[in-house]
Amino acid sequence: MVDLESSLRFNPKEVGKFGIGLWHQHSGTPPLDWNLVALEDTLGPFDWTMEAYEIAILCFCSELHVSEYLAQRNNPVPLVPPAAAIWASFSILQGHFVLGPIVDVSHEVCWHEPLRAGDPVRLTGKITEKYEKRGRHYLVWNTLCTRANGKAVFDVRHTIIDLSMMEVA
C-alpha cells in the first residue's frame, strides 16, 4: 500500500497556494470578451510558488513520464517540469477572466533557468496581439516568470482562439 501523503509530499497547509487561475475567480470575475480585451492589457502580477505535490499532480495529469522527473519522486524539492510554464501562463489569463469555449492553439516557452518546488517567483503577463483570421478570433499574451531579484525564469507566448465569437450557421 502506498502512503499517498508522503509520496506526494502533501502538506495540507499549502493547499490553494498556487495563487492564480480558477482559485482566484469569484462572482465578479468577468467572462472573456474578445471585443473588450485591449492590446497592452496587463495580467497579474501574481506571486507564485509551486509546491512538490502540485508538481506530482501536474506530472500525473499531463502524463509526463520523463525519467528525470519520475526519479524525483522522493525529493522534497523537485524540479518544476517544463509543462508548468504553460499551466502558469494559461492560469494567469484565468485569474482575470472566466473562459468560455476556446482552442488552445500554441505555446512558445523559453526556460532561462531551473525552478524548484517552493521557489517564490512572480508571474506577469500582457496581451500582445488580437486579430481575426478566417472568422476566428485569436488572442495572444506573453507571460514572464521572474525571481525576486528580477531574473527571468521562463517566458511564454500563448495563443488561443475565442470560440464564443464564432458565428454558428
Side-chain angles (χ1 to χ4, degrees), residues 151-164:
K151 191 168 183 182
V153 177
F154 65 78
D155 56 78
V156 181
R157 176 181 159 87
H158 208 136
T159 304
I160 62 170
I161 297 173
D162 183 1
L163 295 176
S164 67

Side-chain angles (χ1 to χ4, degrees), residues 71-142:
Q72 299 186 102
R73 181 177 180 89
N74 293 316
N75 184 342
V77 286
L79 283 171
V80 173
I86 298 165
W87 185 21
S89 178
F90 198 74
S91 295
I92 199 170
L93 186 69
Q94 288 179 303
H96 289 273
F97 303 106
V98 175
L99 301 182
I102 59 116
V103 175
D104 200 6
V105 177
S106 70
H107 329 96
E108 299 167 31
V109 180
C110 181
W111 278 85
H112 304 285
E113 65 180 44
L115 182 65
R116 291 204 170 269
D119 287 355
V121 292
R122 175 163 280 204
L123 296 170
T124 56
K126 185 178 286 191
I127 304 296
T128 57
E129 293 180 57
K130 67 180 248 188
Y131 57 93
E132 187 177 348
K133 183 177 176 182
R134 292 183 298 226
R136 295 181 179 106
H137 294 78
Y138 289 79
L139 185 64
V140 182
W141 70 98
N142 291 340

Side-chain angles (χ1 to χ4, degrees), residues 55-90:
I55 292 171
I57 292 168
L58 179 62
C59 289
F60 176 78
C61 292
S62 61
E63 298 182 5
L64 183 61
H65 300 295
V66 178
S67 59
E68 288 80 11
Y69 296 99
L70 294 175
Q72 299 186 102
R73 181 177 180 89
N74 293 316
N75 184 342
V77 286
L79 283 171
V80 173
I86 298 165
W87 185 21
S89 178
F90 198 74

